[in-house]
Amino acid sequence: MSPSSPPPERLARLLTGNDYFRRSPSRMGGRGAHKEWQHFLVHTEAAHLLINFSLIDDVRATQGRQPEVARLIVLARGEGWEGDVEHFEEAEVEVTAGRIDARFGHNTLRFIDGTYRLSIALRDQPLAAELELVPVTLPALSVNQPLTLDRRLSWLFVPRLLARGTLRLAGRTVQVNDAPAYHDHNWGHFLWGNDFSWEWGSVLPWDMANPWSLVHVRMADRGRSVARYQGLFLWHGGEPLRVFRDEELRVITRGSFRKARPFSVPRVMALLAPGAAADLPETLEIAAHGGADTLELSFYPQDSARIVTPSEEHPEQVTIIHEVLGRVTAQGRVRGHSVAMEGTGVFEFIRD
């Protein structure tokens, strides 16, 4: 376990009481345009894995309620990228409001005895996983943060978990033994294509004996000229140590990271975004300063994949979610502790 992990019973109680599926109020005649997803990252020496269970109101429904569309996103980076986005009919979906419990077809997410249990197998791609993810840090919860001038987003994240199980990709089986992992859960009412963009980064050390974990969140307008919220969250062992917010942070991007032919899912949607231009940074630097505390983080992208989503605001456009894998360094002094780490990061950039 990571240094100074909280008691498992405490973690299980906190997550059971806060990480449950909310479900859309439109099911009962309430507000629509609701989105919610449970997101997981797992890092092994052989592969990096992303799994996302999402429920999205169908805002194009013309009569009655806006039915929720269930979508599973799976991306794996081994020798190359593999993955897909799958959608499921209503009869194939079971999601219990108030619990961490979902079935999309034969894919399942459960929370049992304080452990996330994932069973995944794509229909048309040779990619599957059977995993247990054990939380070893306290979660962070933030509710109703400004996404646009009139839209809000809530989230919970667990910066560090230990993953165990098997991953099958490209005809081989990878054993996962206490690999570093990350989890977040997001929900809110908004449309893809609204006036927003975001950067969302998870940072974990290569050496799991290193006690530091970080999460970076920055939400801005669509043109990225005004930041509406930004935060850099730092954990020492299993406990949160410091959150740098808003004016305590300075975010600098340098250069341009490019790929000749970025891997995109769903594959058919790549036809609507054939270009490689993405406005992704070659380097992202975060300088945090508050009182006597200072922290500097640098992210160096190495590879990326794209999730291409139809815009709900502008039917002729798309929203592109870039999942960018790279190297991270961090150093500083916070609450009397000397911070130093090198590790892996996955930063998510929304770009139209």
Side-chain angles (χ1 to χ4, degrees):
M1 299 177 73
S2 69
S4 306
S5 295
E9 298 81 7
R10 182 186 179 196
L11 284 170
R13 185 170 60 253
L14 284 170
L15 292 168
T16 299
N18 293 282
D19 198 22
Y20 56 86
F21 278 96
R22 269 65 180 177
R23 302 294 305 269
S24 174
S26 70
R27 297 181 305 127
M28 297 170 285
R31 186 182 180 188
H34 185 261
K35 293 176 175 57
E36 179 174 18
W37 58 89
Q38 300 268 9
H39 186 84
F40 299 87
L41 300 171
V42 177
H43 304 284
T44 74
E45 292 184 2
H48 302 270
L49 178 67
L50 178 155
I51 298 172
N52 183 294
F53 286 81
S54 69
L55 292 168
I56 300 174
D57 279 352
D58 182 0
V59 299
R60 295 189 173 90
T62 57
Q63 296 181 352
R65 69 181 180 92
Q66 297 179 353
E68 290 177 302
V69 177
R71 185 174 74 165
L72 176 70
I73 304 169
V74 184
L75 287 170
R77 172 62 168 84
E79 296 179 359
W81 286 100
E82 298 181 39
D84 210 345
V85 177
E86 295 186 350
H87 295 80
F88 300 87
E89 299 295 331
E90 190 171 358
E92 299 178 281
V93 177
E94 294 178 3
V95 179
T96 305
R99 294 179 58 188
I100 311 169
D101 194 311
R103 178 182 67 83
F104 291 7
H106 51 255
N107 306 280
T108 57
L109 162 62
R110 314 289 187 205
F111 189 69
I112 301 172
D113 297 330
T115 300
Y116 296 92
R117 302 188 183 186
L118 304 175
S119 178
I120 304 295
L122 292 180
R123 297 181 185 119
D124 301 320
Q125 304 296 325
L127 180 52
E130 298 287 337
L131 296 169
E132 294 184 358
L133 278 68
V134 181
V136 293
T137 57
L138 290 173
L141 176 66
S142 191
V143 179
N144 293 326
Q145 294 298 333
L147 184 61
T148 73
L149 294 178
D150 60 352
R151 305 279 184 165
R152 297 292 182 266
L153 184 69
S154 300
W155 63 76
L156 175 145
F157 43 69
V158 183
R160 189 187 297 208
L161 307 93
L162 296 179
R164 302 160 184 161
T166 58
L167 168 63
R168 298 190 299 279
L169 72 163
R172 61 192 177 112
T173 299
V174 176
Q175 296 298 322
V176 181
N177 298 308
D178 287 346
Y182 163 85
H183 165 58
D184 66 49
H185 176 190
N186 295 258
W187 62 95
H189 297 266
F190 64 92
L191 300 176
W192 296 121
N194 280 157
D195 181 24
F196 71 88
S197 62
W198 72 51
E199 300 163 4
W200 197 293
S202 158
V203 178
L204 290 167
W206 287 318
D207 179 3
M208 289 299 284
N210 187 299
W212 301 107
S213 308
L214 297 103
V215 175
H216 164 61
V217 180
R218 187 168 190 254
M219 296 187 292
D221 66 318
R222 189 172 177 181
R224 303 192 299 284
S225 59
V226 178
R228 295 178 174 135
Y229 173 91
Q230 57 185 10
L232 183 61
F233 298 73
L234 175 69
W235 281 259
H236 181 260
E239 302 283 340
L241 184 66
R242 177 71 151 89
V243 182
F244 295 92
R245 288 190 173 91
D246 297 330
E247 69 278 356
E248 294 181 315
L249 294 174
R250 185 164 57 95
V251 180
I252 300 172
T253 59
R254 304 183 189 278
S256 179
F257 177 74
R258 296 180 179 274
K259 286 189 65 177
R261 297 184 62 185
F263 180 80
S264 302
V265 294
R267 286 164 168 77
V268 66
M269 288 297 294
L271 299 174
L272 301 179
D279 194 22
L280 300 176
E282 187 176 36
T283 304
L284 184 146
E285 298 174 355
I286 303 171
H289 180 83
D293 298 332
T294 62
L295 185 62
E296 295 181 351
L297 181 148
S298 297
F299 173 60
Y300 306 95
Q302 296 172 320
D303 206 350
S304 68
R306 309 187 306 173
I307 303 165
V308 184
T309 299
S311 172
E312 296 165 313
E313 184 94 311
H314 309 284
E316 72 283 2
Q317 298 178 8
V318 296
T319 295
I320 300 178
I321 305 171
H322 300 266
E323 303 292 342
V324 184
L325 177 67
R327 181 174 65 90
V328 181
T329 62
Q331 55 279 322
R333 189 163 186 83
V334 179
R335 299 284 195 256
H337 296 269
S338 178
V339 180
M341 69 166 288
E342 295 186 2
T344 187
V346 175
F347 277 57
E348 185 175 89
F349 298 86
I350 285 201
R351 301 288 188 261
D352 287 340

